[in-house]
Amino acid sequence: LVANMLDCANGNPSGEDSYHKMSEVRDDLQLMLDKPAIYLYDQDIGRLSITGLQFGGTVFGRNAELSTVKDAYRRSVSGGSELVIISGASGSGKSLLVYESRKHMLAGGGIILSGKFDQLQQGTPFSAFASAFDVYCGTLLEDSGPSSIVGELASNLRSSLGRDVHHLTKLIPNLAIILGPATSPINRNEDCDNAQKRLQYLLCQFVDVISSTFSAPVTLFLDDLQWADAASIEAVNHLLTAASLAHDERFFFLGCCRKGEINEGHPVRKLLKNVERSSVGCTNIKLDLMDEHTINT
């Protein structure tokens, strides 16, 4: 905001996002005061003002897309698995749509694991998975402390995964705190491919244990799929197909990516093709910037 004002004052407007009158500056300042969580934290103010405004708890202009996500989630809760991919340009409202969807899932007692891929970590397998699970374990520790439910989760993990659970603690530091010092290290020499397949299996088992321990459906949300590594997407594929074959498992995958950055050779393309050949429900939501007619109606 300040940079645009200085550009205008110096006679160097920076394009269509520049301010042309003081009322526009006033309106943006008011948005920051009214909704700082949306308009003050690394957001594109110019685009947010026409792509994701909220009035009275409603996502302005995205009600149809929000209903689509909710419907897919309800199907997954009823049994099986569902996949929803949201794509759109930066500032098209992907984050706001996910935020509103998360509120619906949490209100229904669901569990959400959230991670984000990083362009600089594309060569690190499972980086977004590790972040999602570690944040979840950390939140569980903060909210529950040394409670019986945390102890039950630790016991169920040891029972389901045995000593192999140690491999997850190297990926998820907060899990080591949940399991305690009883977890002993394993010395095993394996090539990279076998190690990745083992981690894929263990991560999928971890989701199953979380769901059964808390008797709740699990949602995995991964952002910036355009930077996802192949091993992570293969793990998502395992989670979706395993849940679709099991009548007592409920799994929902929600992913976001930038428009036009998932090419034919991308791992996500392979995932979508695999899903099409299975019983997994698949929904693609494409967000465009709103036109003047949509805003006025």
Side-chain angles (χ1 to χ4, degrees), residues 82 84 105 111-115 128-129 132-133 207 217-223 232 235-236 239 251-255:
E82 290 275 338
V84 174
M105 297 166 192
I111 294 172
I112 301 177
L113 310 175
S114 298
F129 264 88
F133 280 99
V207 172
V218 174
T219 295
L220 175 63
F221 167 61
L222 297 179
D223 200 2
S232 293
V236 172
L239 284 165
F251 178 71
F252 183 67
F253 177 73
L254 180 61

Side-chain angles (χ1 to χ4, degrees), residues 161-226:
L161 305 181
R163 294 182 63 204
D164 278 347
V165 74
H166 170 72
H167 295 293
L168 285 179
T169 64
K170 294 188 290 185
L171 196 67
I172 309 166
N174 279 320
L175 178 59
I177 301 174
I178 289 177
L179 294 171
T183 307
S184 57
I186 299 174
N187 294 319
R188 181 184 298 173
N189 293 322
E190 289 182 306
D191 59 43
C192 181
D193 186 53
N194 286 335
Q196 287 190 5
K197 288 180 179 178
R198 182 185 66 237
L199 280 174
Q200 286 174 355
Y201 169 77
L202 293 174
L203 288 168
C204 293
Q205 289 298 107
F206 194 3
V207 172
D208 292 343
V209 171
I210 291 173
S211 181
S212 61
T213 300
F214 297 97
S215 300
V218 174
T219 295
L220 175 63
F221 167 61
L222 297 179
D223 200 2
D224 285 332
L225 288 175
Q226 69 273 7

Side-chain angles (χ1 to χ4, degrees), residues 242-277:
S244 68
L245 296 173
H247 297 293
D248 57 343
E249 293 184 15
R250 298 168 292 173
F251 178 71
F252 183 67
F253 177 73
L254 180 61
C256 281
C257 63
R258 291 183 183 175
K259 179 181 178 180
E261 296 196 20
I262 304 294
N263 56 37
E264 282 301 320
H266 197 282
V268 172
R269 287 286 187 185
K270 181 180 178 181
L271 171 66
L272 294 175
K273 290 178 181 178
N274 289 338
V275 166
E276 289 174 358
R277 296 192 291 266

Side-chain angles (χ1 to χ4, degrees), residues 100-113:
E100 289 297 321
S101 301
R102 285 168 57 97
K103 290 199 298 185
H104 171 73
M105 297 166 192
L106 291 172
I111 294 172
I112 301 177
L113 310 175

Side-chain angles (χ1 to χ4, degrees), residues 1-266:
L1 183 147
V2 174
N4 280 344
M5 289 179 66
L6 289 173
D7 285 342
C8 293
N10 294 328
N12 299 311
S14 55
E16 62 181 6
D17 292 331
S18 298
Y19 294 108
H20 299 286
K21 48 189 176 180
M22 285 305 299
S23 61
E24 295 175 350
V25 178
R26 181 198 61 212
D27 291 343
D28 275 1
L29 287 171
Q30 191 62 51
L31 285 171
M32 294 178 191
L33 288 171
D34 293 342
K35 295 183 179 294
I38 298 175
Y39 294 101
L40 271 181
Y41 301 112
D42 193 27
Q43 300 285 354
D44 185 336
I45 302 302
R47 287 181 173 177
L48 269 175
S49 64
I50 62 169
T51 58
L53 293 177
Q54 290 179 290
F55 297 98
T58 301
V59 183
F60 177 67
R62 298 300 186 200
N63 293 323
E65 291 86 351
L66 181 58
S67 295
T68 298
V69 177
K70 288 180 177 180
D71 289 343
Y73 179 71
R74 290 192 193 100
R75 292 194 296 270
S76 73
V77 171
S78 299
S81 58
E82 290 275 338
L83 172 149
V84 174
I85 302 290
I86 303 172
S87 61
S90 177
S92 59
K94 300 187 297 295
S95 296
L96 190 57
L97 180 57
V98 170
Y99 174 75
E100 289 297 321
S101 301
R102 285 168 57 97
K103 290 199 298 185
H104 171 73
M105 297 166 192
L106 291 172
I111 294 172
I112 301 177
L113 310 175
S114 298
K116 183 182 179 73
F117 289 104
D118 190 313
Q119 186 176 15
L120 301 178
Q121 292 186 316
Q122 282 181 286
T124 305
F126 309 114
S127 61
F129 264 88
S131 174
F133 280 99
D134 197 48
V135 169
Y136 172 73
C137 289
T139 302
L140 194 63
L141 286 167
E142 290 178 4
D143 293 345
S144 306
S147 66
S148 59
I149 193 66
V150 172
E152 184 180 351
L153 176 63
S155 176
N156 291 344
L157 281 169
R158 290 195 185 94
S159 176
S160 178
L161 305 181
R163 294 182 63 204
D164 278 347
V165 74
H166 170 72
H167 295 293
L168 285 179
T169 64
K170 294 188 290 185
L171 196 67
I172 309 166
N174 279 320
L175 178 59
I177 301 174
I178 289 177
L179 294 171
T183 307
S184 57
I186 299 174
N187 294 319
R188 181 184 298 173
N189 293 322
E190 289 182 306
D191 59 43
C192 181
D193 186 53
N194 286 335
Q196 287 190 5
K197 288 180 179 178
R198 182 185 66 237
L199 280 174
Q200 286 174 355
Y201 169 77
L202 293 174
L203 288 168
C204 293
Q205 289 298 107
F206 194 3
V207 172
D208 292 343
V209 171
I210 291 173
S211 181
S212 61
T213 300
F214 297 97
S215 300
V218 174
T219 295
L220 175 63
F221 167 61
L222 297 179
D223 200 2
D224 285 332
L225 288 175
Q226 69 273 7
W227 294 323
D229 60 281
S232 293
I233 299 303
E234 185 62 29
V236 172
N237 183 56
H238 284 318
L239 284 165
L240 288 166
T241 54
S244 68
L245 296 173
H247 297 293
D248 57 343
E249 293 184 15
R250 298 168 292 173
F251 178 71
F252 183 67
F253 177 73
L254 180 61
C256 281
C257 63
R258 291 183 183 175
K259 179 181 178 180
E261 296 196 20
I262 304 294
N263 56 37
E264 282 301 320
H266 197 282

